[in-house]
Amino acid sequence: MLFVPVTLCMVVVVATIKSVSFYTEKNGQQLIYTPFTEDTDTVGERLLNSVLNTIIMISVIVVMTIFLVVLYKYRCYKFIHGWLILSSLMMLFWFSFMYLGEVFKTYNLAMDYPTVAMIIWNFGVVGMICIHWKGPLQLQQAYLIAISALMALVFIKYLPEWSAWVILGAISVYDLVAVLCPKGPLRMLVETAQERNEPIFPALIYSSAMIWMVGMANPARHAEPTNQDTGTFCLISAYNPLALTMLRGVKLGLGDFIFYSVLVGKAAATGGDWNTTLACFVAILIGLCLTLLLLAIFKKALPALPISITFGLVFYFSTDNLVRPFMDNLAAHQFYI
Amino acid sequence: MTASVFFGCTFIAFGPAIALFLFTIARDPLRVIFLIAGAFFWLCSLLLSSLVWFITVQISNKESSSQQKGLLIFGVVLSVLLQETCRFGYYKLLKKANEGLLMLSAEETMPISIRQLAYVSGLGFGFMSGAFSMVNILADSVGPGTIGIHGDSQHYFLSSAFMTMAIVLLHMFWGVVFFDSCEKQHWWSLAVVVISHLLVSCLTFQNPQYVGSLVPTYIIVFLLGLWAFFCSGGSLRNLKLCLTCKDKDFLLANHRPR
């Protein structure tokens, strides 16, 4: 169910990282959320800088999430909608234009501006319609996977090395806290949405079920009270507040897609070893399985990041440092285990 | 070192496994989950064995190449034993999970039988084992270079591909036989599985004399295939019915007319 989209997103990110060198080139540019550089003299300084970067990044995410929850509580739907539309506009037009440009550069394809304008215009407009209004479910799913992959690629390019790993760890802790604590912002968001019997913003979640199409049009419209019964299955993530009681189908926040892909993409970017990438991929999928199992047992909103990211990080570091020399030696002698 | 080598070796190594996956596992999400869990357990066993090997290498004499080779052989044997231990652990977990699954699902009968689980978990082990052995080699085969330029064997890629295919199929057969012998408490057949795994790995110590390693390995593949076939309920009669499309149970299960 959720394996196919998560796998697809990761495959797109890994394929891009391995072929388009733009996303692995570091030219000193960093996001404003991670101002401390990692080009320091000592290891201790580098570690300190990455921890500081993480603190800033996580605080920005916390502030934005709390802001979103406050807006939702006071029913400022137009503001939230405008914000979501602006961010998806940027993803669908600007980032995909950059991506297309880099792909053309990598494969040395000549292209003219009018053709690119047509392509990007069509891609973007259909994406906006599918995500924010109505469209075929599979097309909407494809667009959500595409923007998650683009966002993950941006993170992989602009986050410095050590900061990225520390941020991944910190954000899974934040996810755990925000969803499970009684005063956590994401939990409050879900409970408010449940009280008002409303579906949450389609731009932020990936849904695997058909029924979602009914609730997509206008979140201010009250859904039927029959929504309340069995099977509330949803997974929440830190970066995106998430959904609600649905009759069938599992939902996963786009932030989960993004951070899974960041982890696998970074594993693919650092070092040419495919074993590490494969190990992280399997670890994340197992984490997702376990989370879905817990979801089936507890039947309430759960954070999707902690288990997967923990497994992913453990397997990344151990495969890179322990398994890689072992497998390299075995391959050199052609021994098989 | 061209695209044809890359595609050829990929399809040799993973062709049967991918075909099995697409035709029997891909449609059922439960089987996919158990496949990935099997792959995960293999990965855990590899991690443990690499950890032990790494520690022994750190405390050994790094200059002496014969000692390093000895440690590598020790690593291989340990890895095989740990893999079989993890397979046993996975079996125990699946038995426990069976009861849990029965509670969770609404139906009366098991959604997946222990034989299907044996097949799926064996294939999961095989996929991961094959992938870890082969993927780096495949990635290198796309790029520029000359194989065996320093006097090593010219057939490195091809032999690796064939060995990987054997290993993938073997893991699947070992999975089936292993679970079956655990179910029936035939500990001697369990021992035979472990010994055959050790034998196959130890045969590869002869590489690059590929005749000594590949030929016996394929004989073992064939024999274990037969054993797994008979273990999982196959017989000559079943085979004949299946091949002539007259097996009623199979046709019914796949909703096909006679």
Side-chain angles (χ1 to χ4, degrees):
Chain A
M1 327 146 258
L2 278 179
F3 290 145
V4 175
V6 170
T7 308
L8 268 175
C9 192
M10 291 198 259
V11 162
V12 168
V13 170
V14 169
T16 310
I17 293 274
K18 289 284 186 184
S19 53
V20 179
S21 60
F22 171 73
Y23 288 103
T24 43
E25 284 162 14
K26 302 272 175 199
N27 55 0
Q29 252 187 330
Q30 288 181 198
L31 299 170
I32 48 167
Y33 306 122
T34 54
F36 295 94
T37 174
E38 285 199 6
D39 250 334
T40 58
D41 299 321
T42 67
V43 170
E45 244 184 86
R46 190 173 183 184
L47 195 62
L48 180 69
N49 278 358
S50 50
V51 171
L52 290 171
N53 277 338
T54 308
I55 293 177
I56 297 179
M57 185 87 172
I58 300 289
S59 341
V60 167
I61 291 181
V62 170
V63 162
M64 287 206 318
T65 320
I66 293 182
F67 185 46
L68 185 70
V69 173
V70 161
L71 284 177
Y72 189 70
K73 241 183 155 49
Y74 292 109
R75 298 178 188 262
C76 310
Y77 293 132
K78 288 212 172 11
F79 193 96
I80 296 177
H81 251 50
W83 183 9
L84 288 177
I85 286 182
L86 238 115
S87 66
S88 42
L89 255 174
M90 190 173 73
M91 297 294 319
L92 285 170
F93 287 94
W94 177 239
F95 283 141
S96 49
F97 172 66
M98 257 174 50
Y99 180 81
L100 204 61
E102 292 308 321
V103 169
F104 287 146
K105 276 188 217 165
T106 305
Y107 291 106
N108 208 13
L109 293 170
M111 185 58 71
D112 53 303
Y113 275 118
T115 312
V116 168
M118 272 274 279
I119 296 174
I120 297 291
W121 173 252
N122 280 301
F123 180 76
V125 167
V126 176
M128 291 301 286
I129 293 178
C130 268
I131 295 174
H132 293 283
W133 195 50
K134 295 200 243 268
L137 180 69
Q138 281 175 328
L139 197 58
Q140 187 204 17
Q141 290 172 337
Y143 268 105
L144 290 174
I145 293 174
I147 60 179
S148 308
L150 284 173
M151 194 71 206
L153 285 168
V154 165
F155 275 140
I156 294 173
K157 180 168 173 71
Y158 289 111
L159 284 179
E161 292 288 331
W162 292 16
S163 307
W165 296 113
V166 184
I167 285 176
L168 277 172
I171 205 153
S172 17
V173 172
Y174 168 65
D175 197 19
L176 197 65
V177 163
V179 175
L180 295 179
C181 283
K183 282 292 171 192
L186 295 176
R187 184 169 169 151
M188 287 190 2
L189 185 75
V190 170
E191 282 169 1
T192 320
Q194 268 175 333
E195 277 164 35
R196 296 182 194 170
N197 236 342
E198 280 168 3
I200 291 197
F201 327 104
L204 297 174
I205 25 171
Y206 179 96
S207 162
S208 59
M210 280 306 285
I211 281 191
W212 184 228
M213 282 184 71
V214 174
M216 237 170 77
N218 185 357
R221 171 178 66 88
H222 288 292
E224 292 84 342
T226 55
N227 258 350
Q228 283 296 345
D229 61 299
T230 62
T232 71
F233 281 21
C234 41
L235 288 170
I236 294 203
S237 99
Y239 193 54
N240 302 286
L242 230 276
L244 211 312
T245 53
M246 273 270 297
L247 285 173
R248 258 192 312 280
V250 190
K251 304 166 115 171
L252 190 61
L254 287 196
D256 299 320
F257 278 87
I258 294 173
F259 285 108
Y260 292 162
S261 307
V262 166
L263 196 145
V264 179
K266 281 212 87 60
T270 54
D273 198 40
W274 282 90
N275 288 343
T276 318
T277 314
L278 267 175
C280 287
F281 168 70
V282 171
I284 289 182
L285 284 185
I286 285 292
L288 190 62
C289 275
L290 282 173
T291 315
L292 289 174
L293 188 71
L294 286 176
L295 196 64
I297 296 177
F298 290 112
K299 292 198 189 351
K300 63 179 198 145
L302 285 180
L305 282 180
I307 304 180
S308 286
I309 299 280
T310 312
F311 276 2
L313 287 174
V314 164
F315 274 87
Y316 172 73
F317 287 110
S318 50
T319 310
D320 207 32
N321 297 314
L322 299 174
V323 176
R324 185 149 61 122
F326 186 48
M327 293 307 292
D328 283 345
N329 268 304
L330 287 179
H333 290 103
Q334 242 182 337
F335 291 170
Y336 279 82
I337 50 171
Chain B
M1 304 275 285
T2 58
S4 58
V5 169
F6 171 72
F7 282 112
C9 288
T10 309
F11 292 140
I12 289 175
F14 295 115
I18 295 181
L20 284 166
F21 175 76
L22 283 176
F23 289 125
T24 57
I25 297 182
R27 300 258 168 107
D28 191 355
L30 205 57
R31 292 182 193 173
V32 174
I33 292 175
F34 285 118
L35 183 94
I36 297 180
F40 179 71
F41 271 77
W42 187 89
L43 201 59
C44 287
S45 80
L46 180 69
L47 201 68
L48 284 168
S49 48
S50 312
L51 180 66
V52 173
W53 175 82
F54 191 76
I55 294 174
T56 56
V57 162
Q58 296 304 320
I59 59 180
S60 74
N61 175 15
K62 292 210 186 151
E63 303 301 315
S64 137
S65 72
S66 64
Q67 200 181 59
Q68 294 300 315
K69 193 157 182 194
L71 279 178
L72 200 61
I73 291 178
F74 161 71
V76 168
V77 172
L78 179 70
S79 176
V80 169
L81 293 172
L82 276 174
Q83 279 178 50
E84 297 302 327
T85 312
C86 276
R87 209 196 294 270
F88 186 68
Y90 191 38
Y91 167 75
K92 282 288 180 205
L93 185 72
L94 283 177
K95 289 295 276 185
K96 276 215 187 112
N98 259 352
E99 288 129 34
L101 260 180
L102 206 55
M103 263 195 324
L104 276 181
S105 72
E107 294 131 43
E108 299 269 316
T109 55
M110 276 300 308
I112 185 168
S113 73
I114 194 75
R115 277 185 182 163
Q116 286 175 357
L117 281 175
Y119 160 65
V120 163
S121 70
L123 197 59
F125 269 60
F127 257 122
M128 211 56 189
S129 175
F132 263 63
S133 314
M134 199 63 194
V135 171
N136 275 330
I137 296 174
L138 287 173
D140 286 336
S141 75
V142 185
T146 309
I147 326 172
I149 199 170
H150 289 298
D152 298 306
S153 164
Q154 299 272 326
H155 305 295
Y156 184 78
F157 289 143
L158 210 56
S159 62
S160 299
F162 276 106
M163 195 66 201
T164 307
M165 171 166 79
I167 294 274
V168 171
L169 291 174
L170 275 173
H171 269 290
M172 188 178 69
F173 299 145
W174 283 327
V176 171
V177 176
F178 194 98
F179 278 44
D180 187 62
S181 35
C182 283
E183 286 282 295
K184 296 189 182 141
Q185 315 249 323
H186 288 161
W187 306 119
W188 60 270
S189 51
L190 206 70
V192 171
V193 166
V194 178
I195 290 174
S196 63
H197 193 168
L198 272 171
L199 185 63
V200 168
S201 287
C202 293
L203 280 171
T204 63
F205 295 154
Q206 295 175 56
N207 282 338
Q209 267 88 36
Y210 298 126
V211 179
S213 69
L214 277 178
V215 173
T217 306
Y218 271 90
I219 294 175
I220 294 179
V221 170
F222 181 67
L223 289 172
L224 264 166
L226 277 178
W227 189 8
F229 177 70
F230 287 117
C231 250
S232 51
S235 64
L236 282 175
R237 192 180 141 268
N238 272 348
L239 191 61
K240 221 164 46 159
L241 284 175
C242 181
L243 288 174
T244 54
C245 287
K246 289 208 177 76
D247 190 343
K248 289 197 195 124
D249 296 327
F250 179 74
L251 292 171
L252 271 173
N254 285 283
H255 307 293
R256 261 182 240 145
R258 270 246 276 154

